[in-house]
Amino acid sequence: MGFEGKIVFVTGASSGIGLAVVKAFSEHGAKVWAADINNEPEAFSGDDNIEFRRLDITR
C-alpha cells in the first residue's frame, strides 16, 4: 500500500516509535511533517519527504 500524495503529521518524531513511524511513511511515499520538542535527528537529513519542525505541543 502506497501513501503517495498523502500528508502525515507525526508528533514525538525524534525518537522511538515516532521516528520509526516517520521513516515508514516516508519510505512508502508520504510527505511527512515531523514535530518534536527535541532537535531534528540526523535520520531526517537528506530525505525530501520529511519536513521537521521543533514544536512543543503542550503550549
Side-chain angles (χ1 to χ4, degrees):
M1 177 178 195
F3 288 92
E4 292 83 11
K6 303 293 183 185
I7 299 172
V8 178
F9 181 74
V10 179
T11 60
S14 288
S15 63
I17 294 171
L19 179 60
V21 168
V22 169
K23 288 181 179 181
F25 273 118
S26 177
E27 289 171 3
H28 286 91
K31 296 288 183 183
V32 183
W33 285 53
D36 200 293
I37 195 169
N38 297 316
N39 293 329
E40 179 177 4
E42 297 280 327
F44 295 165
S45 62
D47 191 331
D48 293 336
N49 285 335
I50 302 172
E51 181 73 29
F52 179 82
R53 292 288 183 258
R54 189 167 186 270
L55 177 68
D56 181 354
I57 62 169
T58 63
R59 295 182 179 198

